[in-house]
PDB file of all heavy atoms in Angstrom:
ATOM      1  N   THR A  20       0.827  -1.212   0.000  1.00  0.00           N
ATOM      2  CA  THR A  20       0.000   0.000   0.000  1.00  0.00           C
ATOM      3  C   THR A  20       0.858   1.257   0.000  1.00  0.00           C
ATOM      4  O   THR A  20       0.536   2.253  -0.671  1.00  0.00           O
ATOM      5  CB  THR A  20      -0.921   0.014   1.223  1.00  0.00           C
ATOM      6  OG1 THR A  20      -1.730  -1.155   1.204  1.00  0.00           O
ATOM      7  CG2 THR A  20      -1.803   1.259   1.225  1.00  0.00           C
ATOM      8  N   HIS A  21       1.952   1.233   0.737  1.00  0.00           N
ATOM      9  CA  HIS A  21       2.840   2.400   0.788  1.00  0.00           C
ATOM     10  C   HIS A  21       3.410   2.699  -0.587  1.00  0.00           C
ATOM     11  O   HIS A  21       3.517   3.872  -0.992  1.00  0.00           O
ATOM     12  CB  HIS A  21       3.964   2.154   1.788  1.00  0.00           C
ATOM     13  CG  HIS A  21       4.884   3.324   1.945  1.00  0.00           C
ATOM     14  ND1 HIS A  21       4.489   4.512   2.524  1.00  0.00           N
ATOM     15  CD2 HIS A  21       6.196   3.488   1.582  1.00  0.00           C
ATOM     16  CE1 HIS A  21       5.497   5.370   2.510  1.00  0.00           C
ATOM     17  NE2 HIS A  21       6.553   4.765   1.949  1.00  0.00           N
ATOM     18  N   ALA A  22       3.748   1.651  -1.344  1.00  0.00           N
ATOM     19  CA  ALA A  22       4.266   1.853  -2.701  1.00  0.00           C
ATOM     20  C   ALA A  22       3.206   2.493  -3.585  1.00  0.00           C
ATOM     21  O   ALA A  22       3.507   3.323  -4.458  1.00  0.00           O
ATOM     22  CB  ALA A  22       4.722   0.522  -3.293  1.00  0.00           C
ATOM     23  N   GLY A  23       1.936   2.100  -3.372  1.00  0.00           N
ATOM     24  CA  GLY A  23       0.862   2.709  -4.148  1.00  0.00           C
ATOM     25  C   GLY A  23       0.731   4.192  -3.888  1.00  0.00           C
ATOM     26  O   GLY A  23       0.569   4.993  -4.809  1.00  0.00           O
ATOM     27  N   LEU A  24       0.818   4.577  -2.601  1.00  0.00           N
ATOM     28  CA  LEU A  24       0.753   6.000  -2.278  1.00  0.00           C
ATOM     29  C   LEU A  24       1.919   6.760  -2.877  1.00  0.00           C
ATOM     30  O   LEU A  24       1.767   7.886  -3.379  1.00  0.00           O
ATOM     31  CB  LEU A  24       0.732   6.167  -0.751  1.00  0.00           C
ATOM     32  CG  LEU A  24      -0.523   5.651  -0.036  1.00  0.00           C
ATOM     33  CD1 LEU A  24      -0.342   5.758   1.484  1.00  0.00           C
ATOM     34  CD2 LEU A  24      -1.749   6.451  -0.471  1.00  0.00           C
ATOM     35  N   GLU A  25       3.099   6.173  -2.833  1.00  0.00           N
ATOM     36  CA  GLU A  25       4.277   6.816  -3.414  1.00  0.00           C
ATOM     37  C   GLU A  25       4.120   6.983  -4.923  1.00  0.00           C
ATOM     38  O   GLU A  25       4.534   8.001  -5.495  1.00  0.00           O
ATOM     39  CB  GLU A  25       5.523   6.004  -3.101  1.00  0.00           C
ATOM     40  CG  GLU A  25       5.979   6.072  -1.646  1.00  0.00           C
ATOM     41  CD  GLU A  25       7.266   5.308  -1.428  1.00  0.00           C
ATOM     42  OE1 GLU A  25       7.602   4.447  -2.281  1.00  0.00           O
ATOM     43  OE2 GLU A  25       7.950   5.575  -0.419  1.00  0.00           O
ATOM     44  N   ALA A  26       3.536   5.981  -5.576  1.00  0.00           N
ATOM     45  CA  ALA A  26       3.358   6.058  -7.028  1.00  0.00           C
ATOM     46  C   ALA A  26       2.421   7.199  -7.409  1.00  0.00           C
ATOM     47  O   ALA A  26       2.693   7.968  -8.339  1.00  0.00           O
ATOM     48  CB  ALA A  26       2.823   4.723  -7.551  1.00  0.00           C
ATOM     49  N   VAL A  27       1.298   7.310  -6.682  1.00  0.00           N
ATOM     50  CA  VAL A  27       0.357   8.392  -6.967  1.00  0.00           C
ATOM     51  C   VAL A  27       0.993   9.745  -6.665  1.00  0.00           C
ATOM     52  O   VAL A  27       0.837  10.717  -7.414  1.00  0.00           O
ATOM     53  CB  VAL A  27      -0.943   8.185  -6.163  1.00  0.00           C
ATOM     54  CG1 VAL A  27      -1.857   9.393  -6.321  1.00  0.00           C
ATOM     55  CG2 VAL A  27      -1.656   6.924  -6.623  1.00  0.00           C
ATOM     56  N   ALA A  28       1.734   9.813  -5.560  1.00  0.00           N
ATOM     57  CA  ALA A  28       2.411  11.060  -5.223  1.00  0.00           C
ATOM     58  C   ALA A  28       3.443  11.434  -6.272  1.00  0.00           C
ATOM     59  O   ALA A  28       3.705  12.620  -6.515  1.00  0.00           O
ATOM     60  CB  ALA A  28       3.080  10.934  -3.854  1.00  0.00           C
ATOM     61  N   ALA A  29       4.039  10.433  -6.916  1.00  0.00           N
ATOM     62  CA  ALA A  29       5.065  10.686  -7.926  1.00  0.00           C
ATOM     63  C   ALA A  29       4.473  11.065  -9.277  1.00  0.00           C
ATOM     64  O   ALA A  29       5.214  11.467 -10.188  1.00  0.00           O
ATOM     65  CB  ALA A  29       5.956   9.458  -8.088  1.00  0.00           C
ATOM     66  N   GLY A  30       3.144  10.938  -9.429  1.00  0.00           N
ATOM     67  CA  GLY A  30       2.522  11.370 -10.676  1.00  0.00           C
ATOM     68  C   GLY A  30       1.682  10.338 -11.373  1.00  0.00           C
ATOM     69  O   GLY A  30       1.074  10.638 -12.415  1.00  0.00           O
ATOM     70  N   ALA A  31       1.600   9.110 -10.848  1.00  0.00           N
ATOM     71  CA  ALA A  31       0.723   8.108 -11.449  1.00  0.00           C
ATOM     72  C   ALA A  31      -0.730   8.492 -11.229  1.00  0.00           C
ATOM     73  O   ALA A  31      -1.086   9.043 -10.184  1.00  0.00           O
ATOM     74  CB  ALA A  31       1.005   6.732 -10.856  1.00  0.00           C
ATOM     75  N   GLN A  32      -1.585   8.175 -12.188  1.00  0.00           N
ATOM     76  CA  GLN A  32      -3.004   8.449 -12.040  1.00  0.00           C
ATOM     77  C   GLN A  32      -3.698   7.415 -11.158  1.00  0.00           C
ATOM     78  O   GLN A  32      -4.711   7.703 -10.532  1.00  0.00           O
ATOM     79  CB  GLN A  32      -3.667   8.488 -13.423  1.00  0.00           C
ATOM     80  CG  GLN A  32      -3.188   9.611 -14.321  1.00  0.00           C
ATOM     81  CD  GLN A  32      -3.568  10.978 -13.805  1.00  0.00           C
ATOM     82  OE1 GLN A  32      -4.616  11.150 -13.200  1.00  0.00           O
ATOM     83  NE2 GLN A  32      -2.714  11.971 -14.031  1.00  0.00           N
ATOM     84  N   ASP A  33      -3.161   6.210 -11.103  1.00  0.00           N
ATOM     85  CA  ASP A  33      -3.747   5.163 -10.277  1.00  0.00           C
ATOM     86  C   ASP A  33      -2.703   4.077 -10.042  1.00  0.00           C
ATOM     87  O   ASP A  33      -1.680   3.999 -10.749  1.00  0.00           O
ATOM     88  CB  ASP A  33      -4.988   4.573 -10.952  1.00  0.00           C
ATOM     89  CG  ASP A  33      -5.987   4.004  -9.945  1.00  0.00           C
ATOM     90  OD1 ASP A  33      -5.602   3.813  -8.771  1.00  0.00           O
ATOM     91  OD2 ASP A  33      -7.142   3.770 -10.344  1.00  0.00           O
ATOM     92  N   TYR A  34      -2.971   3.210  -9.044  1.00  0.00           N
ATOM     93  CA  TYR A  34      -2.077   2.101  -8.686  1.00  0.00           C
ATOM     94  C   TYR A  34      -2.946   0.857  -8.513  1.00  0.00           C
ATOM     95  O   TYR A  34      -3.782   0.795  -7.603  1.00  0.00           O
ATOM     96  CB  TYR A  34      -1.333   2.416  -7.394  1.00  0.00           C
ATOM     97  CG  TYR A  34      -0.306   1.390  -6.979  1.00  0.00           C
ATOM     98  CD1 TYR A  34       1.022   1.529  -7.369  1.00  0.00           C
ATOM     99  CD2 TYR A  34      -0.662   0.298  -6.185  1.00  0.00           C
ATOM    100  CE1 TYR A  34       1.976   0.606  -6.971  1.00  0.00           C
ATOM    101  CE2 TYR A  34       0.290  -0.640  -5.781  1.00  0.00           C
ATOM    102  CZ  TYR A  34       1.612  -0.473  -6.190  1.00  0.00           C
ATOM    103  OH  TYR A  34       2.560  -1.400  -5.806  1.00  0.00           O
ATOM    104  N   LEU A  35      -2.801  -0.101  -9.417  1.00  0.00           N
ATOM    105  CA  LEU A  35      -3.615  -1.310  -9.421  1.00  0.00           C
ATOM    106  C   LEU A  35      -2.735  -2.534  -9.211  1.00  0.00           C
ATOM    107  O   LEU A  35      -1.617  -2.612  -9.748  1.00  0.00           O
ATOM    108  CB  LEU A  35      -4.376  -1.444 -10.741  1.00  0.00           C
ATOM    109  CG  LEU A  35      -5.295  -0.258 -11.127  1.00  0.00           C
ATOM    110  CD1 LEU A  35      -5.926  -0.515 -12.489  1.00  0.00           C
ATOM    111  CD2 LEU A  35      -6.358  -0.019 -10.072  1.00  0.00           C
ATOM    112  N   VAL A  36      -3.274  -3.513  -8.464  1.00  0.00           N
ATOM    113  CA  VAL A  36      -2.582  -4.772  -8.224  1.00  0.00           C
ATOM    114  C   VAL A  36      -3.167  -5.817  -9.157  1.00  0.00           C
ATOM    115  O   VAL A  36      -4.396  -5.999  -9.221  1.00  0.00           O
ATOM    116  CB  VAL A  36      -2.726  -5.210  -6.757  1.00  0.00           C
ATOM    117  CG1 VAL A  36      -2.022  -6.554  -6.516  1.00  0.00           C
ATOM    118  CG2 VAL A  36      -2.163  -4.140  -5.828  1.00  0.00           C
ATOM    119  N   LYS A  37      -2.317  -6.505  -9.896  1.00  0.00           N
ATOM    120  CA  LYS A  37      -2.765  -7.411 -10.947  1.00  0.00           C
ATOM    121  C   LYS A  37      -3.790  -8.428 -10.466  1.00  0.00           C
ATOM    122  O   LYS A  37      -4.817  -8.652 -11.105  1.00  0.00           O
ATOM    123  CB  LYS A  37      -1.559  -8.137 -11.543  1.00  0.00           C
ATOM    124  CG  LYS A  37      -0.611  -7.247 -12.326  1.00  0.00           C
ATOM    125  CD  LYS A  37       0.592  -8.029 -12.844  1.00  0.00           C
ATOM    126  CE  LYS A  37       1.538  -7.125 -13.609  1.00  0.00           C
ATOM    127  NZ  LYS A  37       2.747  -7.858 -14.089  1.00  0.00           N
ATOM    128  N   GLY A  38      -3.534  -9.075  -9.341  1.00  0.00           N
ATOM    129  CA  GLY A  38      -4.431 -10.111  -8.877  1.00  0.00           C
ATOM    130  C   GLY A  38      -5.760  -9.609  -8.385  1.00  0.00           C
ATOM    131  O   GLY A  38      -6.684 -10.398  -8.143  1.00  0.00           O
ATOM    132  N   GLU A  39      -5.899  -8.307  -8.208  1.00  0.00           N
ATOM    133  CA  GLU A  39      -7.136  -7.738  -7.679  1.00  0.00           C
ATOM    134  C   GLU A  39      -7.935  -6.976  -8.729  1.00  0.00           C
ATOM    135  O   GLU A  39      -8.940  -6.335  -8.417  1.00  0.00           O
ATOM    136  CB  GLU A  39      -6.800  -6.796  -6.519  1.00  0.00           C
ATOM    137  CG  GLU A  39      -6.056  -7.469  -5.374  1.00  0.00           C
ATOM    138  CD  GLU A  39      -5.601  -6.481  -4.318  1.00  0.00           C
ATOM    139  OE1 GLU A  39      -5.849  -5.264  -4.523  1.00  0.00           O
ATOM    140  OE2 GLU A  39      -4.988  -6.899  -3.318  1.00  0.00           O
ATOM    141  N   VAL A  40      -7.499  -7.033  -9.974  1.00  0.00           N
ATOM    142  CA  VAL A  40      -8.096  -6.218 -11.039  1.00  0.00           C
ATOM    143  C   VAL A  40      -8.941  -7.082 -11.964  1.00  0.00           C
ATOM    144  O   VAL A  40      -8.514  -8.154 -12.406  1.00  0.00           O
ATOM    145  CB  VAL A  40      -7.004  -5.503 -11.856  1.00  0.00           C
ATOM    146  CG1 VAL A  40      -7.626  -4.798 -13.067  1.00  0.00           C
ATOM    147  CG2 VAL A  40      -6.268  -4.506 -11.005  1.00  0.00           C
ATOM    148  N   GLY A  41     -10.150  -6.604 -12.252  1.00  0.00           N
ATOM    149  CA  GLY A  41     -10.994  -7.203 -13.268  1.00  0.00           C
ATOM    150  C   GLY A  41     -11.240  -6.216 -14.387  1.00  0.00           C
ATOM    151  O   GLY A  41     -10.734  -5.084 -14.374  1.00  0.00           O
ATOM    152  N   GLY A  42     -12.055  -6.614 -15.351  1.00  0.00           N
ATOM    153  CA  GLY A  42     -12.303  -5.751 -16.500  1.00  0.00           C
ATOM    154  C   GLY A  42     -12.960  -4.443 -16.126  1.00  0.00           C
ATOM    155  O   GLY A  42     -12.575  -3.374 -16.607  1.00  0.00           O
ATOM    156  N   GLU A  43     -13.954  -4.489 -15.229  1.00  0.00           N
ATOM    157  CA  GLU A  43     -14.665  -3.258 -14.856  1.00  0.00           C
ATOM    158  C   GLU A  43     -13.743  -2.265 -14.157  1.00  0.00           C
ATOM    159  O   GLU A  43     -13.736  -1.068 -14.479  1.00  0.00           O
ATOM    160  CB  GLU A  43     -15.839  -3.603 -13.944  1.00  0.00           C
ATOM    161  CG  GLU A  43     -16.663  -2.384 -13.551  1.00  0.00           C
ATOM    162  CD  GLU A  43     -17.833  -2.756 -12.654  1.00  0.00           C
ATOM    163  OE1 GLU A  43     -18.079  -3.964 -12.459  1.00  0.00           O
ATOM    164  OE2 GLU A  43     -18.493  -1.819 -12.157  1.00  0.00           O
ATOM    165  N   LEU A  44     -12.949  -2.756 -13.191  1.00  0.00           N
ATOM    166  CA  LEU A  44     -12.046  -1.869 -12.458  1.00  0.00           C
ATOM    167  C   LEU A  44     -10.973  -1.288 -13.373  1.00  0.00           C
ATOM    168  O   LEU A  44     -10.684  -0.080 -13.317  1.00  0.00           O
ATOM    169  CB  LEU A  44     -11.393  -2.630 -11.301  1.00  0.00           C
ATOM    170  CG  LEU A  44     -10.361  -1.842 -10.475  1.00  0.00           C
ATOM    171  CD1 LEU A  44     -10.994  -0.579  -9.893  1.00  0.00           C
ATOM    172  CD2 LEU A  44      -9.769  -2.720  -9.378  1.00  0.00           C
ATOM    173  N   LEU A  45     -10.398  -2.130 -14.224  1.00  0.00           N
ATOM    174  CA  LEU A  45      -9.347  -1.636 -15.121  1.00  0.00           C
ATOM    175  C   LEU A  45      -9.912  -0.609 -16.095  1.00  0.00           C
ATOM    176  O   LEU A  45      -9.302   0.444 -16.345  1.00  0.00           O
ATOM    177  CB  LEU A  45      -8.714  -2.798 -15.875  1.00  0.00           C
ATOM    178  CG  LEU A  45      -7.593  -2.419 -16.851  1.00  0.00           C
ATOM    179  CD1 LEU A  45      -6.452  -1.724 -16.117  1.00  0.00           C
ATOM    180  CD2 LEU A  45      -7.079  -3.648 -17.601  1.00  0.00           C
ATOM    181  N   GLY A  46     -11.087  -0.897 -16.657  1.00  0.00           N
ATOM    182  CA  GLY A  46     -11.686   0.042 -17.606  1.00  0.00           C
ATOM    183  C   GLY A  46     -11.993   1.376 -16.967  1.00  0.00           C
ATOM    184  O   GLY A  46     -11.726   2.441 -17.539  1.00  0.00           O
ATOM    185  N   ARG A  47     -12.564   1.338 -15.740  1.00  0.00           N
ATOM    186  CA  ARG A  47     -12.879   2.587 -15.045  1.00  0.00           C
ATOM    187  C   ARG A  47     -11.615   3.367 -14.720  1.00  0.00           C
ATOM    188  O   ARG A  47     -11.560   4.597 -14.870  1.00  0.00           O
ATOM    189  CB  ARG A  47     -13.663   2.281 -13.772  1.00  0.00           C
ATOM    190  CG  ARG A  47     -14.102   3.543 -13.032  1.00  0.00           C
ATOM    191  CD  ARG A  47     -15.124   3.245 -11.947  1.00  0.00           C
ATOM    192  NE  ARG A  47     -14.570   2.367 -10.921  1.00  0.00           N
ATOM    193  CZ  ARG A  47     -14.974   1.128 -10.704  1.00  0.00           C
ATOM    194  NH1 ARG A  47     -15.927   0.594 -11.479  1.00  0.00           N
ATOM    195  NH2 ARG A  47     -14.434   0.395  -9.737  1.00  0.00           N
ATOM    196  N   SER A  48     -10.568   2.674 -14.277  1.00  0.00           N
ATOM    197  CA  SER A  48      -9.327   3.345 -13.924  1.00  0.00           C
ATOM    198  C   SER A  48      -8.709   4.026 -15.145  1.00  0.00           C
ATOM    199  O   SER A  48      -8.232   5.165 -15.052  1.00  0.00           O
ATOM    200  CB  SER A  48      -8.342   2.336 -13.334  1.00  0.00           C
ATOM    201  OG  SER A  48      -7.113   2.966 -13.018  1.00  0.00           O
ATOM    202  N   VAL A  49      -8.729   3.338 -16.278  1.00  0.00           N
ATOM    203  CA  VAL A  49      -8.150   3.918 -17.500  1.00  0.00           C
ATOM    204  C   VAL A  49      -8.943   5.144 -17.938  1.00  0.00           C
ATOM    205  O   VAL A  49      -8.373   6.186 -18.279  1.00  0.00           O
ATOM    206  CB  VAL A  49      -8.101   2.863 -18.625  1.00  0.00           C
ATOM    207  CG1 VAL A  49      -7.801   3.518 -19.967  1.00  0.00           C
ATOM    208  CG2 VAL A  49      -7.060   1.802 -18.307  1.00  0.00           C
ATOM    209  N   ARG A  50     -10.271   5.026 -17.927  1.00  0.00           N
ATOM    210  CA  ARG A  50     -11.099   6.176 -18.349  1.00  0.00           C
ATOM    211  C   ARG A  50     -10.854   7.388 -17.445  1.00  0.00           C
ATOM    212  O   ARG A  50     -10.670   8.516 -17.914  1.00  0.00           O
ATOM    213  CB  ARG A  50     -12.581   5.790 -18.302  1.00  0.00           C
ATOM    214  CG  ARG A  50     -13.011   4.786 -19.365  1.00  0.00           C
ATOM    215  CD  ARG A  50     -14.522   4.656 -19.365  1.00  0.00           C
ATOM    216  NE  ARG A  50     -14.977   3.662 -20.321  1.00  0.00           N
ATOM    217  CZ  ARG A  50     -15.266   2.402 -20.012  1.00  0.00           C
ATOM    218  NH1 ARG A  50     -15.136   1.984 -18.746  1.00  0.00           N
ATOM    219  NH2 ARG A  50     -15.690   1.562 -20.933  1.00  0.00           N
ATOM    220  N   TYR A  51     -10.883   7.156 -16.141  1.00  0.00           N
ATOM    221  CA  TYR A  51     -10.676   8.262 -15.210  1.00  0.00           C
ATOM    222  C   TYR A  51      -9.278   8.864 -15.361  1.00  0.00           C
ATOM    223  O   TYR A  51      -9.100  10.087 -15.262  1.00  0.00           O
ATOM    224  CB  TYR A  51     -10.878   7.787 -13.771  1.00  0.00           C
ATOM    225  CG  TYR A  51     -12.307   7.467 -13.399  1.00  0.00           C
ATOM    226  CD1 TYR A  51     -12.616   6.949 -12.154  1.00  0.00           C
ATOM    227  CD2 TYR A  51     -13.349   7.675 -14.301  1.00  0.00           C
ATOM    228  CE1 TYR A  51     -13.937   6.649 -11.801  1.00  0.00           C
ATOM    229  CE2 TYR A  51     -14.652   7.376 -13.962  1.00  0.00           C
ATOM    230  CZ  TYR A  51     -14.943   6.855 -12.724  1.00  0.00           C
ATOM    231  OH  TYR A  51     -16.238   6.557 -12.380  1.00  0.00           O
ATOM    232  N   ALA A  52      -8.292   8.002 -15.567  1.00  0.00           N
ATOM    233  CA  ALA A  52      -6.918   8.492 -15.695  1.00  0.00           C
ATOM    234  C   ALA A  52      -6.773   9.411 -16.893  1.00  0.00           C
ATOM    235  O   ALA A  52      -6.147  10.474 -16.811  1.00  0.00           O
ATOM    236  CB  ALA A  52      -5.958   7.308 -15.813  1.00  0.00           C
ATOM    237  N   VAL A  53      -7.364   9.009 -18.017  1.00  0.00           N
ATOM    238  CA  VAL A  53      -7.264   9.834 -19.227  1.00  0.00           C
ATOM    239  C   VAL A  53      -7.975  11.166 -19.015  1.00  0.00           C
ATOM    240  O   VAL A  53      -7.458  12.232 -19.382  1.00  0.00           O
ATOM    241  CB  VAL A  53      -7.848   9.079 -20.436  1.00  0.00           C
ATOM    242  CG1 VAL A  53      -7.953  10.002 -21.647  1.00  0.00           C
ATOM    243  CG2 VAL A  53      -6.983   7.868 -20.771  1.00  0.00           C
ATOM    244  N   GLN A  54      -9.164  11.139 -18.404  1.00  0.00           N
ATOM    245  CA  GLN A  54      -9.902  12.379 -18.187  1.00  0.00           C
ATOM    246  C   GLN A  54      -9.172  13.308 -17.219  1.00  0.00           C
ATOM    247  O   GLN A  54      -9.114  14.522 -17.431  1.00  0.00           O
ATOM    248  CB  GLN A  54     -11.302  12.070 -17.654  1.00  0.00           C
ATOM    249  CG  GLN A  54     -12.224  11.462 -18.697  1.00  0.00           C
ATOM    250  CD  GLN A  54     -12.393  12.357 -19.922  1.00  0.00           C
ATOM    251  OE1 GLN A  54     -12.579  13.568 -19.799  1.00  0.00           O
ATOM    252  NE2 GLN A  54     -12.302  11.761 -21.099  1.00  0.00           N
ATOM    253  N   ARG A  55      -8.605  12.740 -16.150  1.00  0.00           N
ATOM    254  CA  ARG A  55      -7.856  13.591 -15.214  1.00  0.00           C
ATOM    255  C   ARG A  55      -6.656  14.228 -15.897  1.00  0.00           C
ATOM    256  O   ARG A  55      -6.331  15.388 -15.662  1.00  0.00           O
ATOM    257  CB  ARG A  55      -7.406  12.762 -14.008  1.00  0.00           C
ATOM    258  CG  ARG A  55      -8.497  12.502 -12.990  1.00  0.00           C
ATOM    259  CD  ARG A  55      -7.910  12.005 -11.674  1.00  0.00           C
ATOM    260  NE  ARG A  55      -7.240  10.723 -11.836  1.00  0.00           N
ATOM    261  CZ  ARG A  55      -7.837   9.546 -11.678  1.00  0.00           C
ATOM    262  NH1 ARG A  55      -9.127   9.488 -11.365  1.00  0.00           N
ATOM    263  NH2 ARG A  55      -7.149   8.424 -11.810  1.00  0.00           N
ATOM    264  N   ARG A  56      -5.999  13.463 -16.753  1.00  0.00           N
ATOM    265  CA  ARG A  56      -4.835  13.995 -17.470  1.00  0.00           C
ATOM    266  C   ARG A  56      -5.249  15.141 -18.394  1.00  0.00           C
ATOM    267  O   ARG A  56      -4.567  16.158 -18.487  1.00  0.00           O
ATOM    268  CB  ARG A  56      -4.174  12.885 -18.285  1.00  0.00           C
ATOM    269  CG  ARG A  56      -2.872  13.292 -18.947  1.00  0.00           C
ATOM    270  CD  ARG A  56      -1.793  13.531 -17.921  1.00  0.00           C
ATOM    271  NE  ARG A  56      -0.513  13.791 -18.559  1.00  0.00           N
ATOM    272  CZ  ARG A  56       0.602  13.992 -17.904  1.00  0.00           C
ATOM    273  NH1 ARG A  56       0.598  13.970 -16.581  1.00  0.00           N
ATOM    274  NH2 ARG A  56       1.734  14.218 -18.545  1.00  0.00           N
ATOM    275  N   LEU A  57      -6.404  14.978 -19.065  1.00  0.00           N
ATOM    276  CA  LEU A  57      -6.889  16.047 -19.940  1.00  0.00           C
ATOM    277  C   LEU A  57      -7.226  17.300 -19.137  1.00  0.00           C
ATOM    278  O   LEU A  57      -6.947  18.421 -19.569  1.00  0.00           O
ATOM    279  CB  LEU A  57      -8.117  15.568 -20.715  1.00  0.00           C
ATOM    280  CG  LEU A  57      -7.867  14.473 -21.765  1.00  0.00           C
ATOM    281  CD1 LEU A  57      -9.188  13.998 -22.363  1.00  0.00           C
ATOM    282  CD2 LEU A  57      -6.945  14.981 -22.865  1.00  0.00           C
ATOM    283  N   LEU A  58      -7.839  17.102 -17.966  1.00  0.00           N
ATOM    284  CA  LEU A  58      -8.165  18.257 -17.127  1.00  0.00           C
ATOM    285  C   LEU A  58      -6.903  18.949 -16.631  1.00  0.00           C
ATOM    286  O   LEU A  58      -6.849  20.181 -16.564  1.00  0.00           O
ATOM    287  CB  LEU A  58      -9.023  17.801 -15.939  1.00  0.00           C
ATOM    288  CG  LEU A  58     -10.477  17.433 -16.257  1.00  0.00           C
ATOM    289  CD1 LEU A  58     -11.162  16.862 -15.023  1.00  0.00           C
ATOM    290  CD2 LEU A  58     -11.246  18.640 -16.777  1.00  0.00           C
ATOM    291  N   GLN A  59      -5.891  18.169 -16.276  1.00  0.00           N
ATOM    292  CA  GLN A  59      -4.626  18.767 -15.843  1.00  0.00           C
ATOM    293  C   GLN A  59      -3.990  19.576 -16.965  1.00  0.00           C
ATOM    294  O   GLN A  59      -3.477  20.673 -16.740  1.00  0.00           O
ATOM    295  CB  GLN A  59      -3.674  17.674 -15.372  1.00  0.00           C
ATOM    296  CG  GLN A  59      -4.075  17.026 -14.052  1.00  0.00           C
ATOM    297  CD  GLN A  59      -3.243  15.806 -13.733  1.00  0.00           C
ATOM    298  OE1 GLN A  59      -2.410  15.360 -14.531  1.00  0.00           O
ATOM    299  NE2 GLN A  59      -3.457  15.239 -12.552  1.00  0.00           N
ATOM    300  N   ALA A  60      -4.048  19.025 -18.182  1.00  0.00           N
ATOM    301  CA  ALA A  60      -3.493  19.754 -19.327  1.00  0.00           C
ATOM    302  C   ALA A  60      -4.266  21.044 -19.574  1.00  0.00           C
ATOM    303  O   ALA A  60      -3.685  22.098 -19.876  1.00  0.00           O
ATOM    304  CB  ALA A  60      -3.518  18.869 -20.572  1.00  0.00           C
ATOM    305  N   ALA A  61      -5.616  20.968 -19.428  1.00  0.00           N
ATOM    306  CA  ALA A  61      -6.431  22.168 -19.617  1.00  0.00           C
ATOM    307  C   ALA A  61      -6.121  23.209 -18.550  1.00  0.00           C
ATOM    308  O   ALA A  61      -6.054  24.407 -18.835  1.00  0.00           O
ATOM    309  CB  ALA A  61      -7.913  21.800 -19.596  1.00  0.00           C
ATOM    310  N   ASP A  62      -5.918  22.756 -17.313  1.00  0.00           N
ATOM    311  CA  ASP A  62      -5.578  23.688 -16.231  1.00  0.00           C
ATOM    312  C   ASP A  62      -4.238  24.364 -16.497  1.00  0.00           C
ATOM    313  O   ASP A  62      -4.086  25.568 -16.256  1.00  0.00           O
ATOM    314  CB  ASP A  62      -5.527  22.945 -14.899  1.00  0.00           C
ATOM    315  CG  ASP A  62      -6.916  22.579 -14.375  1.00  0.00           C
ATOM    316  OD1 ASP A  62      -7.886  23.170 -14.866  1.00  0.00           O
ATOM    317  OD2 ASP A  62      -7.009  21.701 -13.504  1.00  0.00           O
TER     318      ASP A  62
END
């Protein structure tokens, strides 16, 4: 968990663990990540 917090603090949009990820979670994470990146660029 600490590595996940460090990754987000370092600039990652999300931190997912392979064994805990399904299609719905991965798809939502990717969509949100792209939108957040676009908003950051707009800002």
Side-chain angles (χ1 to χ4, degrees):
T20 302
H21 183 68
L24 293 174
E25 288 183 341
V27 173
Q32 296 294 326
D33 207 345
Y34 184 93
L35 303 177
V36 179
K37 292 178 181 178
E39 301 173 358
V40 173
E43 182 179 353
L44 177 57
L45 180 60
R47 183 168 62 247
S48 178
V49 167
R50 290 189 183 97
Y51 290 176
V53 171
Q54 288 302 316
R55 282 195 296 269
R56 186 68 174 182
L57 292 175
L58 287 174
Q59 289 171 355
D62 286 343

